[in-house]
Amino acid sequence: SSGINAEYGGTCLHVLSGHRSLTSGMELRDNILVSGNADSFVKIWDITTGTCLHTLDGPNKHQSAVTCLLFTSKYVMTSSDDGTVKLWDIKTGEFIRDIVKLDSGGSGGVVWRIQLDKTRLVCAVGSRNGTEETKLIVFDFSVGNEKTKQITCASTSSSSDVMF
């Protein structure tokens, strides 16, 4: 027994354990749950079986708390207190690349939230210590250099490097 009871008749199917700190975000689609955490880890769960399919870590993992996450049938995109946005393969859990790296990342620059559509990524950026101006940065992946996919930034005050 999980020791958890739903007051209005719900049944506890699973208790998903494995994060070491508070969960900072999660998204559920079909039977897949992706959870991000203040411990810097992201986990991909199968809620039907209650198993953790992948923990997104390794040498390219976030160096600080995960602040936001989004996922599709192919990818997981995560942002962090470390000033990065990372792209991961949802099926294998493998790191693909950094999408955004703030120059002030690691010294206070934070990507707080992310949102995307088919060709654009919007990042809410700021800092806890004034090292990064509070702003929304809009990236358009449809206008990048086809060879490197270097992305142009719609914010005139951005100090970020973006690759997709």
Side-chain angles (χ1 to χ4, degrees), residues 24-99:
S24 53
M26 59 185 157
E27 188 173 327
L28 175 65
R29 188 171 301 119
D30 300 320
N31 292 322
I32 300 297
L33 174 73
V34 179
S35 60
N37 203 270
D39 64 10
S40 79
F41 291 103
V42 176
K43 292 187 176 284
I44 302 170
W45 308 88
D46 179 329
I47 63 165
T48 304
T49 64
T51 57
C52 178
L53 301 174
H54 302 290
T55 299
L56 308 183
D57 60 3
N60 295 300
K61 78 174 188 71
H62 286 294
Q63 299 304 305
S64 190
V66 174
T67 55
C68 191
L69 57 87
L70 302 167
F71 76 95
T72 67
S73 61
K74 295 181 180 183
Y75 304 108
V76 176
M77 188 177 287
T78 57
S79 66
S80 172
D81 261 357
D82 65 10
T84 64
V85 176
K86 297 181 179 290
L87 188 67
W88 307 84
D89 184 300
I90 197 165
K91 302 284 189 216
T92 65
E94 292 179 13
F95 172 78
I96 297 172
R97 67 176 54 97
D98 284 318
I99 302 293

Side-chain angles (χ1 to χ4, degrees), residues 119 140-152 164:
T119 62
D140 187 342
F141 295 96
S142 68
V143 298
N145 175 317
E146 286 305 312
K147 188 171 183 182
T148 63
K149 287 291 187 186
Q150 180 69 42
I151 308 309
T152 57
F164 185 66

